[in-house]
Amino acid sequence: MALRHFLTLRDFTKEEILEIIDLGLQIKQNLKSGIYRGELKNKTLAMIFEKSSTRTRVSFETGMFQLGGHALFLSNRDIHLGRGEPVKDTARVISSMCDMVMIRTFEHSMIEEFAAYSKVPVINGLTDSYHPVQLLADYMTLVEHGAHENIVAAYVGDGNNMTHSWMMLAAKLGFELRIATPKGYEVDAKILQDALEIAKTSGAVIKTMNDPKEAIKGATVVTTDTWVSMGQEDEKEQRIQAFKGFMVDDEMMSLAQESAKFLHCLPAYRGYEVSEEVFEKHSKIVFDEAENRLHAQKGLMVWLANK
Ligand code: CP
Ligand code: NVA
């Protein structure tokens, strides 16, 4: 059995991504029918949080319980990692006792180092660079809403961890993604290069621009994220100025296809990256997307445990 980590979608094939989502959908179906198979009975998931979370914590903890296992919430305020115990030591200790580890942290290199020293699968629960579990839920939601064929996705906002994960999803699955960011808030050039390289074989089209209207025109999926990610709180005022004109509002949505779906990973800041009207009009799919964090991650954990 090969040890696999889930740090970015980059390391997964299209088939594997779809397999994980399918498994998540099957497990979701079981849950809705009251069937619990105990796929991860007696297994433990360590969850290390160096940043806040509502969805990630609740979905992983609940998911692990529903699969018959147990999750440990480890805040960096409580464990020695936060007091300077080396990442590689923490990784060796935790992975000698637990069966899987989920980490939410700042620098992506931290999770890479942890994974390099871990004996068990490590899952990225968000870093400054990527948020891949969110994209599993997002794509699952598009499948359920019948919106996963011939995707033309528009991402409007900050070139951040969510954008980078959308780039990897598009590159792997082969759909069109247009990214509009203000000048100075573009995506990471290296990650873009990487995604464009993968896109050559999948047929994906990934375009970056500074005009949100150009990105949204004719899109089948529109998505955005906060302008101020965790760790950027000091830049709030300057970001609000820089992102003027980037709010996804009714006027902006009217440029997309009439049937276009709106997605948001949440938390959403109305009046900033999305208007109250657009958010509430699309709230059904957005909260399906949030719920699917639970189901997609259960699929992921079972998939990783069986590798
Ligand atoms: N979307 C998401 O990851 O939400 P949390 O920050 O609440 O976990
Ligand atoms: N880009 C956001 C995503 C939150 C789920 C952040 O990193 O804070």
Side-chain angles (χ1 to χ4, degrees):
M1 296 223 295
L3 174 60
R4 295 287 296 273
H5 302 294
F6 188 79
L7 305 189
T8 85
L9 293 171
R10 190 185 185 288
D11 306 327
F12 287 74
T13 64
K14 173 179 181 171
E15 291 66 33
E16 288 173 333
I17 294 168
L18 298 180
E19 218 175 275
I20 292 167
I21 289 168
D22 269 356
L23 189 53
L25 283 168
Q26 279 168 37
I27 297 171
K28 176 175 184 176
Q29 187 60 47
N30 286 346
L31 178 72
K32 301 285 176 187
S33 311
I35 300 166
Y36 297 85
R37 297 206 195 283
E39 291 93 333
L40 299 182
K41 188 165 182 276
N42 296 334
K43 304 282 184 198
T44 55
L45 170 74
M47 307 188 299
I48 301 175
F49 281 93
E50 298 200 282
K51 288 176 174 172
S52 307
S53 167
T54 300
R55 282 142 287 268
T56 305
R57 177 176 178 184
V58 175
S59 54
F60 271 108
E61 192 163 334
T62 303
M64 197 59 187
F65 176 78
Q66 291 175 348
L67 292 167
H70 177 75
L72 296 88
F73 173 72
L74 306 170
S75 144
N76 66 327
R77 282 185 295 279
D78 306 320
I79 59 173
H80 283 281
L81 185 67
R83 298 181 61 243
E85 183 166 13
V87 170
K88 59 184 180 180
D89 293 358
T90 308
R92 284 177 282 193
V93 171
I94 291 181
S95 72
S96 73
M97 300 182 206
C98 296
D99 301 285
M100 217 171 273
V101 184
M102 191 285 312
I103 304 176
R104 169 167 285 199
T105 189
F106 292 86
E107 288 187 12
H108 192 72
S109 55
M110 179 276 188
I111 204 167
E112 287 177 333
E113 183 182 357
F114 195 108
Y117 285 89
S118 173
K119 291 200 284 273
V120 300
V122 175
I123 298 172
N124 180 355
L126 181 147
T127 64
D128 289 344
S129 306
Y130 295 101
H131 194 8
V133 285
Q134 180 68 53
L135 270 291
L136 292 180
D138 290 9
Y139 192 72
M140 175 184 271
T141 308
L142 293 178
V143 171
E144 287 184 321
H145 284 258
H148 60 299
E149 307 283 1
N150 304 317
I151 295 175
V152 177
Y155 178 98
V156 174
D158 188 24
N160 64 15
N161 43 13
M162 276 302 297
T163 334
H164 296 152
S165 292
W166 268 100
M167 281 155 55
M168 281 301 159
L169 186 76
K172 289 287 175 172
L173 301 193
F175 61 80
E176 180 170 344
L177 173 66
R178 304 153 180 181
I179 300 161
T181 61
K183 286 204 169 71
Y185 294 90
E186 283 90 356
V187 298
D188 181 277
K190 206 167 153 286
I191 297 175
L192 176 62
Q193 207 45 51
D194 216 12
L196 290 174
E197 202 51 45
I198 299 167
K200 282 184 191 160
T201 45
S202 71
V205 177
I206 301 173
K207 295 180 192 156
T208 56
M209 56 200 82
N210 299 116
D211 179 0
K213 293 194 170 126
E214 186 189 337
I216 288 193
K217 206 162 170 253
T220 65
V221 176
V222 177
T223 187
T224 183
D225 182 22
T226 181
W227 296 339
V228 187
S229 284
M230 289 179 276
Q232 298 172 336
E233 290 78 6
D234 292 350
E235 300 170 29
K236 188 173 172 187
E237 288 315 314
Q238 129 199 3
R239 283 178 165 266
I240 288 170
Q241 292 307 318
F243 283 83
K244 278 209 161 76
F246 278 76
M247 185 198 297
V248 179
D249 56 13
D250 282 326
E251 193 194 332
M252 199 91 97
M253 279 304 283
S254 71
L255 301 172
Q257 298 218 350
E258 202 163 339
S259 58
K261 309 293 180 204
F262 173 78
L263 295 177
H264 195 306
C265 66
L266 303 177
Y269 299 91
R270 278 88 146 178
Y272 294 96
E273 77 271 10
V274 62
S275 70
E276 172 74 16
E277 293 73 25
V278 167
F279 186 85
E280 288 305 330
K281 203 178 289 172
H282 296 268
S283 59
K284 167 78 177 76
I285 192 166
V286 169
F287 289 105
D288 285 350
E289 177 190 1
E291 181 190 326
N292 279 335
R293 291 291 304 278
L294 170 69
H295 311 299
Q297 289 159 198
K298 285 167 77 181
L300 173 64
M301 290 191 286
V302 173
W303 191 92
L304 288 172
N306 290 323
K307 277 294 133 192

